[in-house]
Every structure is written in structure tokens, then in C-alpha cells.
Amino acid sequence: MSGREFFTARTVAEALAGFRPAHRTPVEDVPLDAALHRVPASEVVAPSLLPGFPRSTVDGYAVRAADTYGASEGLPSYLDLLGAVTMGAAPTVAVRAGGCVAMPTGGVLPDGADAVVMVEYTAETMPGTVEITRPVAPGGGMVRADEDVAAGAALVPAGRPLRAPDLGLLAAAGVTTVAVHARPRVAIVSTGDEVVPPDTVELRPGQVRDATASALAGLVADAGGEPVFAGIVSDEPGALKNRLSEVLPDADLVVVSAGSSVGARDETAGAVAAIGDVWCHGLAIKPGKPTLLADCGGIPLVGLPGNPLSALVVFGQLGVPLLWRLAGCESPPPPPTTRARLSRNLASATGRLDIVQVTVRDGVAEPLFGPSALLSVLVRADGYVVIPEPATGLDAGMEVEVVLYR
Amino acid sequence: MSGREFFTARTVAEALAGFRPAHRTPVEDVPLDAALHRVPASEVVAPSLLPGFPRSTVDGYAVRAADTYGASEGLPSYLDLLGAVTMGAAPTVAVRAGGCVAMPTGGVLPDGADAVVMVEYTAETMPGTVEITRPVAPGGGMVRADEDVAAGAALVPAGRPLRAPDLGLLAAAGVTTVAVHARPRVAIVSTGDEVVPPDTVELRPGQVRDATASALAGLVADAGGEPVFAGIVSDEPGALKNRLSEVLPDADLVVVSAGSSVGARDETAGAVAAIGDVWCHGLAIKPGKPTLLADCGGIPLVGLPGNPLSALVVFGQLGVPLLWRLAGCESPPPPPTTRARLSRNLASATGRLDIVQVTVRDGVAEPLFGPSALLSVLVRADGYVVIPEPATGLDAGMEVEVVLYR
């Protein structure tokens, strides 16, 4: 183990708590139909109350509740039918003592009414007279004008990504644009003399296509970011530093998919140290130890390990929460999980976070082993098990939580 | 309870099993960077093996493993340094018995070598001679040319939405376009004389803005579909039938957000029956009973209840899996869930699926009650608890699974 990698090693917990972005992305107005999963920059307040009028929630008759007290099948109340409410229109008649008005679900309650009797408990036995066979309490069969949202109340909170029902409530309130944090722009820089673009048809011996950048772009998009492919940089001295200087002004986060060799990692560390402050070099996580975190003039930079699997594991643990924070969200949406029994013992070192890829069948989590150079392990996995930092391992047969990929 | 609603009532389980789309959406080629969460129409096969050459996974020296047997700190093996491998290039030298070649991580193994000794277990004590202090087994410190993917093997399966690591493996294999099912186009038709567009500034008495369409569009997008707003249709006889005839030719799924009154629901049922086969009218779910399912010449149609909350619950239970099926995916990505203790008893009727909105704090699920006309209940909820069809309720203190919104 090279001493160089650990000169400022940290745990993942330390990195999550301490390596935090100084800024948030700017605020922009987006139309409602582009606002799904975007993060409101501030609480959105209701311009007026909702539904905005006392509204029937059943088909039936608007009444004064007191006129129905004691009504039963055997001894119904009889009320005068005074008229009918039309959907989407103001009532043209009020309810007086001893009277009722026919109501559709969703209609405006007439003045004088304080409840709606469901049609199931009524009968129009004679023209102009309605028989009521069950009492209704004041407020029954209706919602108040401010029952869904009071004027000045929050429609949606700041900092929580907007969900589908939120869009509905905003629409109901007439809020058709929302001030949200801009999607964080994530510059993805690949490095390595051996790395060529994915569309390279014929590889020369020793060349590999850039797998990590495409996979990272997917993780970035899933976390609400906007991936920007910033190309492949050779291991030539100075090349990475120059590219970083070019991409930093337009990025909210820079991710360097570092070369896999010690030499390439040292080159990355040198380039980053030349333009920013290295926060840590070496992370107590497996896979993913050779991770570098730096602050480049307020822009966070994550230097990932060269192995694709390690790089994606580290980005999932650190990059994803960082991205949400950049967009103003401190509690990212939770991933899907399931409980399963471990098929075998898993060893770990105390003080290190272990991420073990697993398949899940019939409630059994089967670890997938293999060199972290193998991306196919991640493709075959259904999810992963976390062995927390204090633990020295997990025992076969234990019930564990599996974080599922989706 | 109106008899009309239950003339062909079904359980949710029956609907999931029996109301299935006859067709799948067409197949289209998309570039890799637009393929996230899209569903491959067929297995994608590796055009060649990966990584494509025997590759070092450590920094060190390529050796014949047999030359290291018995090596220890006290009694090292000494090997002749024959040269070095350069990243991204073919080796210019082979390994012979008693020799070794310096290797970067990710380099091509030279001919004659069958393992790589990590640099940590070596020392170049004299120029041209490398001391080996730990033995390595054949295959150690390297991956075979076909260890990530064998030629002809599946890179990603058909029918499973593509995840970020899948994009990486496809990129590594040089697959830069993928044949996927088209996003299902979902025509969202709103109905009701009282319903006006969300951008209506001043409401007349009794009018409400269309909340359901915006929220449905969010659920559709989350399930990989493409929402198409098909406007608001009045309750005038014939209007809905005409609109449905217009939207059906360009839709893979039609969703009608029905009016809330009995009259409006009957109008919807009549319009749908005129152009398609009603599969069920009435679903044993709460909220969401007045749901209508129909087949309109091969295009599934879902008639949702008029209350926004009910409509969204039903669409989540039935519309979302239907959408994934239309796109060729039988097992949709799982939602996030958590375990929590119920704060109070929940009653239910046997044979009916109950969906109860809850908040979750400190491991306790607190049911949110209120008329299903209130969209704010859904916005305040963290998720929901399902009371299965056979159950008559759930007891306070029970541990339940909460499906979380995200």
C-alpha cells in the first residue's frame, strides 16, 4: 500500500460531514411541466385558499345539519327541495330551515347549508320533497373553503425535490412556474493514455473504451444533475491541469475519472493540487480507496479511482449526496431497499466502509466477488450491502438491508 | 353506493393480472447518452470480449507464477527485469523463465506472463534485478481477456430498464446506440364543466384548476412515459367521445380524469362504452372505487376517479405497471420502502385493497386521514401503507412496510 495515497485519508462519514459545497446552484424559474424532481429554492406559498369555496364531496342534498337530527329509516325528515346546484357555477338559491338543494360532488355549497346528505340516504318520494333517512353532522359530506390549503400556507416546502402530487397542488393553486435551483452541471473528465471514446470501432492493443464517463453520466442524471462530457485527457504532464482550468468556470462539480496506475493517480493529484486545495487523498472505503476530494476555488472536485466499479461505488456514496446538496437538497430521495439473508460471511476491516455487490433471489443476498476492474459485476448485481465502518464483517444467515439498483 | 358503479367490479389483483396491453410500443434506436431507464427490446450481445486483452489489475511486475513459488521476505526470488509495459500500448517484450516486466495497472500482460506481483511485495534492490517477497498464483493480479464479458455473451438483458452501470458496460463494448421500446405516449384527458386550466388567474365560483393532469404527467414521466396533455372536455353529451376518438390514434395509453359527480361518471362510462370494450367499472380499492378500465381497439384506457387523491392512488397502483408493460418491462423498478410501526389501528374491508397515506417520523407511521378530495394529504404524506385484499385491518404497533414517495 503506497504511503502517498494515505497522506490525508478520511472515512466516508468524515467526507459526508466535512466535504460540503460552499455554494448552491443559482435559482431559475421553470414551468410546472418541467419541474418534476427539481428542488424549490424557497417554500411556495398559496396565493389563495383551496378549494376556494365550501365544496360538496358527495352527490346528495345540501342541508342545515340540524334539520336532519334524529332522522332514520323508520322516521325520516322531510325537506323542501329548493333547487339544484350546477357544476362549476355559483348556486342560485340558498338553503333555509326545512329546505334542501340538490348537489353534485364538487359543487359549491349554497349559502345557509352546513352539510351534504349522501344521495344513498335520501329519496324524492314526492315531487318537491326529499326524504332524509340518516342524520348528518355539520361539515359532513363537504370540505371547507380552506380545508385543502389555507391562504398563505405552504404548498410545498423548500429543499425537497418536487414529486408528482406536488405538481398537482401547485396547479390547483394556479402556480405554473416554480423557482428552483439550477441542475448542477457536472464536468466529467476522463484520463488515461489507454482510454479512447466509446465509439472507437477498432481498439489497438491495450486500449479500452471509456466506460466510466457514460455510467457516471447516468448517475449524475439520476441525481438531478446535468452531465457534461469534458473529454479524455492524456497522461502527459500538464494536460489534466489545463483541461481542469478550462472546465472549472462552467461547472458546479468536477469529476475526474483518474487513470488506474500509480503514476496516473500521482499525475491527477499533482494537477489538482496545482489548482485547488486537496481535502483528502485516500478514502476508507472498499472498493474506492484511491479517491481524492478537493476544493477548486469553491467548486468541489472528486477524483475517482481508475477502476470503473470502484469509481461508480464512490460516486454513489459521495458524489450523489454532494450533487443534491449543490441543488439545495440536504435529504436526497431514498433509494429502494429490501431485506435479505446473507448467503455467506463477509469480512471487513474496522474503520472502513465496505460496499459489497449482491444478487437477491428468494430473500437471499449472494455476494458477487471479482476484481474491481470488472464492470460486469455491477451489471449483474441487483444491489449492494453496506458493511458499516465499525463492523469487522457480517455473518452468513444475518438479515441485511440491500440497497437496490433501479 | 350506486349499483351502476359495480356492474363489473374487479379487485386490483384481477386487474393487474387480466387487464394487460395487447401490444408493446415500437422499437427505436437511441444513443447511449439518452438510454438511461429505457427498456432494451432484446438482449444486447457483446460484439467482442472484454477487456479484450489479459490486463493487469495492480501496479507491479508481470511474471511466470512458478518463478515466485516459495518466495518470502526471508528468502526472496530474484528475477531479471526485462523491460516495462506502457499504458495503452502493446508490450514490446515477452516474459521468459526467470524474468519479469514492469506493469502499470491496466496494462497489457506480455506474452509468457501468467500473473502480476504487486509492487508492494517487490523491490528493485539492484538495477536490472527485481526481488519478489511473496508468491503469486497463476492469474493473480490480472484479469483474463474475456473475464469481464465473453464474446457473444449478453451485455444487458431485454426487458430490464437500463441502469447507469449498464451504460458503462455498453460503452466499454463499443455499443453506442441501443434498440429500446419507445416511451409510451399517454394522452391525459381531463373532464368536467368546473375544471379550468392551471394558468387561469381568476376563478369563477365553483371553478377549480386542473390539478390531476399535472400530477398524472409527473407519474407518467417517472414511469418512463411521455405525457400528452389532451385538454379539458366539458360534460356536454358527445364531447368526451369526440375527444377520445381524436386522441386514440396517437396514444399508447389513454387516461381520463373523470368528473367527480355521478352524472359525469356515467357520461364517461357511456363515452368509453361507445368506442371500446369496458373491462371493468368499479375497482375494489380505497380510495379509487369508481375506476373504469377499457380496451379501445387495442389501446388501454383508464378512467380515473374525479378526486385527485383517488386518481393518483389508482394510477400508481394500475397505470404505472401498465406503462412499464407497454414499454416491454414486466418487472418495474421497485419503489423505495421503509419499515415503521403503525401509530393506530387501521380498519379495512376484506376483498378490498386499502391505500393509506402516512407520515413517517422516528420509525412510526402516522396515518393521514381526510376526504379524498384533498390533494394536500398526498403532498404532506411521506408514503403509503397497503392493507392487502384479504386483511380486515392492521393493528396499532404492528411493523408495516411503507412505500415512500420520491
Side-chain angles (χ1 to χ4, degrees), chain A residues 386-406:
Chain A
V386 176
I387 311 179
E389 282 145 346
T392 54
L394 300 174
D395 294 334
M398 263 182 82
E399 200 189 54
V400 292
E401 186 176 71
V402 179
V403 180
L404 297 171
Y405 295 123
R406 56 167 197 89

Side-chain angles (χ1 to χ4, degrees), chain A residues 379 382 405-406, chain B residues 20 24-25 27 35-45 154-163 166 170 178-182 223-224 320-334:
Chain A
V379 171
D382 295 310
Y405 295 123
R406 56 167 197 89
Chain B
R20 300 173 65 85
R24 299 291 177 272
T25 59
V27 177
L36 189 65
H37 303 314
R38 301 295 297 270
V39 184
S42 49
E43 186 178 86
V44 180
V45 167
L155 292 167
V156 295
R160 190 192 74 185
L162 290 170
R163 311 180 312 208
D166 298 336
L170 292 168
V178 197
V180 297
H181 283 282
V320 166
L322 198 56
L323 258 181
W324 281 112
R325 277 186 184 146
L326 281 164
C329 170
E330 288 293 322
S331 301

Side-chain angles (χ1 to χ4, degrees), chain A residues 1-2 32-33 36-37 48 50-51 53 55 57 59 87-90 104-106 108 120 142-143 147-149 155-157 160 162-169 171-176 193-194 198-200 203-212 214-219 221-222 229 235 260-263 265 307 312 333-339 371 373-382 404-406, chain B residues 1-2 32-33 36-37 48 50-51 53 55 57 59 87-90 104-106 108 120 142-143 147-149 155-157 160 162-169 171-176 193-194 198-200 203-212 214-219 221-222 229 235 260-263 265 307 312 333-339 371 373-382 404-406:
Chain A
M1 185 175 310
S2 159
L32 208 52
D33 59 8
L36 188 65
H37 304 313
S48 56
L50 283 178
F53 54 88
R55 195 175 194 211
T57 57
D59 292 305
M87 283 303 282
T105 302
V108 185
E120 286 83 346
M142 58 169 286
V143 289
E147 196 157 339
D148 214 359
V149 178
L155 292 167
V156 295
R160 192 192 74 184
L162 291 169
R163 310 180 313 208
D166 298 336
L167 303 186
L169 195 62
V175 178
T176 54
D193 285 339
E194 79 282 19
D199 60 1
T200 307
L203 299 180
R204 290 204 310 268
Q207 289 187 328
V208 291
R209 296 186 190 90
D210 189 358
T212 308
S214 294
L216 281 174
L219 292 182
D222 267 341
F229 292 108
D235 291 333
S260 55
S261 67
V262 163
R265 292 202 297 271
N307 281 324
L312 298 180
T337 57
T338 190
R339 310 284 305 175
L374 298 187
L375 195 52
S376 57
V377 168
L378 218 45
V379 171
R380 276 156 50 216
D382 295 310
L404 297 171
Y405 295 123
R406 56 167 197 89
Chain B
M1 185 173 313
S2 160
L32 207 52
D33 59 8
L36 189 65
H37 303 314
S48 55
L50 282 179
F53 54 88
R55 195 176 193 208
T57 58
D59 292 304
M87 283 304 282
T105 304
V108 185
E120 286 83 346
M142 58 168 286
V143 289
E147 196 158 339
D148 214 359
V149 179
L155 292 167
V156 295
R160 190 192 74 185
L162 290 170
R163 311 180 312 208
D166 298 336
L167 304 185
L169 196 62
V175 177
T176 54
D193 285 340
E194 78 282 20
D199 61 1
T200 307
L203 299 180
R204 291 205 311 268
Q207 288 187 328
V208 291
R209 297 186 190 92
D210 188 359
T212 308
S214 294
L216 281 174
L219 292 182
D222 266 342
F229 292 107
D235 291 333
S260 55
S261 67
V262 164
R265 291 201 297 270
N307 282 325
L312 297 179
T337 57
T338 190
R339 312 282 305 176
L374 297 187
L375 195 51
S376 57
V377 169
L378 218 43
V379 170
R380 275 158 49 219
D382 296 309
L404 296 171
Y405 295 122
R406 57 167 196 87

